[in-house]
Amino acid sequence: MTGTIAVWREALADLLAYYDANRGPLILFVPALFIFFVVVNILSYWLAMITAFPYMINWYYFKVQFPVGLFGALFDCLSFFVTVYVVRRAVRTTDSREYIGHLSIDLIIAVLATLWVVYVFTISGWIIKWVEANPSDFAARAQRYEQMVVDAIDNPVDNFRNIYFGLVMGLSAMIPTTVHFAMFLRAAWQQGERSEV
């Protein structure tokens, strides 16, 4: 396993070096990253809506996509830079357990991204109602979405659509976790091929 982690660490260090060499100035990179994540969040929103709740597509949910995209992009940009910071620390470590501990922070970010969806919808719905000069009770809306999360945990089979919706909406923040996992699998595969030779 140590050989696999060494190969994984080396691949991750190469990816970090590529990022550093090609990122460009932050003043250009940050807005481009934000716009990228706005687009990804809006596309994720529509994928989730069309596949989970096609009967709910209406003018209200069309308007909700914009604050959802903006708030989702804020979270994703923050998680991106946290991930880069964590990766920098991870590739400097010499202990395999510490390396894995650093990268497991991305799993926490992926879970938080899914929970963030609940708050994004609460805030987005409130913003749309406020803009329409018909403000709804923010606390009631928040409580309704929180109850949906509790119901999904208590009875996941009956709440499959809501769970699926949250997972699809959280895909953009799961990108770093997916990249780490794919790099680990690739390293394990390479080590397996070497041991067979």
Side-chain angles (χ1 to χ4, degrees):
M1 187 61 116
T2 307
T4 299
I5 291 174
V7 171
W8 181 18
R9 181 185 286 123
E10 185 180 328
L12 199 54
D14 290 345
L15 183 61
L16 184 61
Y18 177 83
Y19 163 76
D20 287 336
N22 294 286
R23 184 198 69 203
L26 278 175
I27 197 159
L28 298 175
F29 180 75
V30 172
L33 183 70
F34 183 77
I35 291 168
F36 168 76
F37 279 129
V38 167
V39 171
V40 167
N41 275 278
I42 288 175
L43 291 175
S44 296
Y45 171 80
W46 282 111
L47 175 63
M49 282 299 291
I50 289 168
T51 56
F53 302 108
Y55 53 87
M56 289 179 63
I57 297 173
N58 57 35
W59 181 241
Y60 171 77
Y61 286 106
F62 175 81
K63 292 181 280 186
V64 166
Q65 75 177 315
F66 300 108
V68 164
L70 293 173
F71 287 117
L74 284 173
F75 182 91
D76 293 341
C77 285
L78 176 64
S79 70
F80 177 86
F81 288 110
V82 168
T83 298
V84 169
Y85 173 76
V86 167
V87 166
R88 284 190 201 288
R89 292 186 54 104
V91 297
R92 287 188 208 128
T93 64
T94 54
D95 181 38
S96 296
R97 288 174 297 187
E98 191 177 342
Y99 173 78
I100 291 172
H102 276 91
L103 295 182
S104 63
I105 291 172
D106 272 334
L107 291 174
I108 296 167
I109 291 173
V111 170
L112 289 175
T114 305
L115 295 175
W116 175 248
V117 171
V118 174
Y119 295 104
V120 164
F121 270 91
T122 302
I123 293 166
S124 297
W126 182 80
I127 288 171
I128 296 302
K129 295 290 186 185
W130 183 75
V131 167
E132 293 176 342
N134 183 18
S136 59
D137 183 8
F138 183 77
R141 181 178 292 277
Q143 188 174 18
R144 189 176 100 215
Y145 284 121
E146 286 173 15
Q147 187 58 47
M148 289 171 104
V149 172
V150 171
D151 291 344
I153 292 168
D154 288 345
N155 195 350
V157 174
D158 288 344
N159 291 285
F160 174 75
R161 286 178 190 253
N162 291 331
I163 294 169
Y164 167 79
F165 189 89
L167 289 173
V168 172
M169 286 301 301
L171 283 177
S172 56
M174 294 179 199
I175 292 171
T177 306
T178 307
V179 169
H180 293 320
F181 188 66
M183 292 177 88
F184 168 75
L185 291 177
R186 182 173 173 237
W189 178 271
Q190 288 175 343
Q191 281 301 106
E193 285 183 339
R194 287 179 191 166
S195 62
E196 288 174 7
V197 173

